[in-house]
Amino acid sequence: MDTQDAQDEQDAVREAAVERALDALDLDAKTRLLAGQDTWSLPALPDIGLRSLVMSDGPIGVRGVRWSAADPSVALPSSTALAATWDPSLVRRAGRLLAQEARRKGVHVLLAPTVNLHRSPLGGRHFECYSEDPYLTGEIGTGYVRGVQEGGVGATVKHFVANDAETERFTVNNVVGPRPLRELYLFPFEAIVRTARPWAVLSAYNAVNGTTMTEHRRLQKDVLRGEWGFDGVVVSDWMAARSTAGTILAGLDIAMPGPRTVYGPALAAAVRAGEVPESAIDAAVRNVLRLAARVGILDGVPALVAQEDLPASVDGDALAREIARRSFVLVRNEPGADGGRALPVDPAEVRTIALLGAAARDARILGGGSAEVFPAHVVSPLDGLRAALPEGVRLTYAVGADPSDELAVAGRGFSVHAVCRDVAGRELGGEPLPNGQVMWLGDLPEGVSYDALHTVEINGTFTPSESGAHSFGTKGVGAFVLTVDGQVLFDGVQIPDADDPFEAFFGSPVRRGEVELTAGEPVEVRLVHTVTKLADAPVDAVSCALVHGTPLRDPEELLEEAVAVAAAADTAVVVVATTERVESEGFDRTDLRLPGRQDELVRRVAAVNPRTVVVVNSGSPVELPWREDVAAVLLGWFPGQEAGAALADVLLGTEEPGGRLPTTWPARLEDAPVTQVVPTDGELGYDEGLFIGYSAWEKAGAAPAYSFGHGLGYTTWEYKSIALSRSATTATAPDTATVMVRVRNTGPRPGREVVQIYLAPSAPDPDRPARRLAGFASVDAGQGETVTVEIALPRRAFEIWDEAADTWRLAPGTYAVEAGRSVGDLRLRATLEVKG
Ligand code: BGC
């Protein structure tokens, strides 16, 4: 039996088991199965041998069902970093690791990947998406989904669709024309659904063209299932399902989270009232049971990936480091006065390296929100470089400028535990805390019931490592009493300070006072929080934190210290970063500036050290106003737990930085052609149509700081020739064209090049982008070696969405097939005639 036959037989066995299970369920059980029983799982139905299906965020790690550093996870680099590798096979390996993590944590379905597009650089959650380009997004997402599902875990492609910004995300109506909807925003979903066959899709909060996505019958049923053949589960984003009949009739299978939802008993009642036919419930239950069978939690049906077929175990730390260095994008590396380039730094030729910046010591490794995970360890740039530098090279460090003046969750030096009490002050239970944060989402410490819970205390000690005035504060909404070393610093109520309900609930850190402390002398800390219970919240949630800041120093003094350290070194490495208040889920950005005095730090360091290398830790573009004044700029994204180890690999030249920009990097926000993320009267018009990202820059005739696709390695490349496969010259349907590009490594060491192919219709057409990425491949070559890379161009690259006919249509004509290093550095061109 060949593989296809075996698969068909397996599918038939699974479908039969699904039908049997469905037949055995009554209406109440069926509707119960379609709703979360808590924040992350569906109920078990023991009568049919169904265990509880568990979901967890994604995308850079698997948090599991507890929001706690006590249950650590491997933290990979941000999604933008994954996309910057331009390497779906590497991303596939990331997926396998995530599946391994999910299995370790008892998670069956990972809530990832995020494949929304970088429409405006102000999108606050872009670190969690891949790119401005739909094709690159689709390819990377396909690799991710394949990897996760090869590991027997379901992937959930999200957020379907057009959740490309965060402002008013629950209600915004995104008005998108049919062509951009198909050619841009649906494009990656379609590519992934068709090629990687994901087991789940997550329906977004927002509306598209007047209909909220969870009720969008046309997109969820007709397009996703009908046209694309999706046979997985459509799950709501958390709290995105707002109606009962409206959502089930529109094809939403699961409403999350629970226990209070619009499905469950409400859905059974809707059937009994004749508002919803039972066949709609059956269709949804079938999808859920199929998913359960695939992940192996329906008795009697073997999991889609048998235990013995699981991929070999992956070393998470090693993979996190490999992906990070492969994702770093070296956008600038200029020769110094002596002709040598700043990077890589040759340890044999330097005596002192100065490392500067708060993020060099306290690494900024991930973006905020539901994507957060808690790694077991983090290698900061300071740790990474210290470990990698040979004896004899001195590493000096200064903070220089702190990007944030906010207090952080109490961590280093704190030893705390939580105590839960009822209204009479009786202890109900508690647990040790790995840091000063309590985040219980439907999952309270043993013995504690939400109804009885009245107060949570975070109690313990703090042993400072430096003397001075330490700041303490609170994070969360509701009543707090904060006491440090016997002094009451705050006794009051914090009201919500954000519009987004999640943001409001998590709250922002508020400084409540300072206490003079002595290094090494422990003091008692105690935060008492009266739990705020929201009547309409779907889950029983408790969130609060004790926050802390080390003694503040004069910012001017910090800068001067850094300048002195930099001046005395052979090379200065400045690490700049955004903060959680800049890039996170739940809000958009208002500017692209680096927070705090980091720009000034770079300028002043560069003024005293000609070999200044700037490492930028941000999930998406920031303005780099000093970029022409420094020797090298390395974009490091949010690099994950192995940040510093990977950085040392690249700075010292053990490895090349392998990344290419997955998104255009503007010099200034004002230059960006598409910026709007704020709806007007609840509506956000995607007025730019097809012109986002590099297509918009090209249309505007504007030059960014760094083009889409740009990135330097440590060698150089000559693009020697381009040729097209014979069939390509008459690429009538259903032919595809293959491009062959010869490149030569002309530089001093082996390297890896990402060859990019763009397709440009020759006849000027104001309704079409000047060129679009149509294929890419990476290639390794030794010093002096010439290699040929073959890149197949899919038929879809020659198609446009025909609005009148409501279908894809081949766009005949002459095309330039361009090969190059970025959209701004095209080296070779061939011509292709496409006949209709
Ligand atoms: C986010 C999703 C996430 C979900 C569960 C939502 O607010 O938009 O991406 O999967 O929460 O954490």
Side-chain angles (χ1 to χ4, degrees), residues 620-635:
S620 52
V622 285
E623 290 172 0
L624 311 171
W626 32 258
R627 66 186 194 286
E628 306 283 331
D629 307 326
V630 299
V633 179
L634 183 70
L635 307 178

Side-chain angles (χ1 to χ4, degrees), residues 765-796:
D765 180 349
D767 294 332
R768 277 180 91 180
R771 54 179 51 73
R772 287 283 283 274
L773 180 71
F776 61 90
S778 49
V779 58
D780 293 293
Q783 193 182 349
E785 199 185 339
T786 300
V787 285
T788 303
V789 53
E790 286 196 11
I791 298 168
L793 302 180
R795 180 186 154 92
R796 183 53 58 82

Side-chain angles (χ1 to χ4, degrees), residues 331-345:
V331 288
R332 177 182 169 87
N333 192 15
E334 288 300 304
D338 59 357
R341 292 185 191 271
L343 289 179
V345 174

Side-chain angles (χ1 to χ4, degrees), residues 83-90 135-136 139-140 326 658-660 708-709 717 719 738-743 751-758 773-781 787-794 818-822:
T85 69
W86 288 59
D87 188 348
S89 61
L90 181 60
Y135 176 73
L136 180 60
E139 292 296 296
I140 298 293
R326 288 279 307 279
R660 303 291 185 266
F708 175 80
W717 296 89
Y719 276 61
T738 300
V739 194
M740 275 119 3
V741 182
R742 283 173 72 229
V743 292
R752 184 185 183 94
E753 173 70 337
V754 178
V755 177
Q756 303 163 32
I757 305 293
Y758 295 86
L773 180 71
F776 61 90
S778 49
V779 58
D780 293 293
V787 285
T788 303
V789 53
E790 286 196 11
I791 298 168
L793 302 180
E818 303 164 324
R821 312 204 64 210
S822 77

Side-chain angles (χ1 to χ4, degrees), residues 567-736:
D570 302 301
T571 291
V573 177
V574 190
V575 183
V576 294
T578 60
T579 68
E580 220 187 18
R581 311 301 302 164
V582 176
E583 285 183 274
S584 190
E585 179 179 333
F587 53 86
D588 289 312
R589 298 160 73 185
T590 48
D591 61 52
L592 299 183
R593 286 193 290 277
L594 283 166
R597 291 172 75 172
Q598 297 184 95
D599 284 333
E600 191 180 345
L601 171 65
V602 175
R603 280 214 175 89
R604 288 173 63 171
V605 166
V608 297
N609 192 320
R611 294 227 165 190
T612 293
V613 175
V614 184
V615 178
V616 183
N617 283 147
S618 66
S620 52
V622 285
E623 290 172 0
L624 311 171
W626 32 258
R627 66 186 194 286
E628 306 283 331
D629 307 326
V630 299
V633 179
L634 183 70
L635 307 178
W637 313 108
F638 293 143
Q641 64 175 50
E642 304 298 323
L647 185 64
D649 290 342
V650 164
L651 290 182
L652 304 181
T654 328
E655 303 285 342
E656 297 192 285
R660 303 291 185 266
L661 278 178
T663 218
T664 308
W665 205 277
R668 300 173 315 162
L669 175 62
E670 306 85 278
D671 303 340
V674 181
T675 55
Q676 189 58 266
V677 288
V678 180
T680 310
D681 295 333
E683 210 167 274
L684 184 64
Y686 283 31
D687 300 334
E688 68 288 343
L690 288 173
F691 299 91
I692 65 166
Y694 57 89
S695 306
W697 287 85
E698 290 200 300
K699 187 177 185 203
Y706 304 112
S707 294
F708 175 80
H710 174 64
L712 310 165
Y714 288 153
T715 186
T716 49
W717 296 89
E718 182 192 350
Y719 276 61
K720 293 183 79 74
S721 64
I722 185 168
L724 293 163
S725 58
R726 190 174 304 175
S727 68
T729 49
T730 53
T732 48
D735 287 8
T736 56

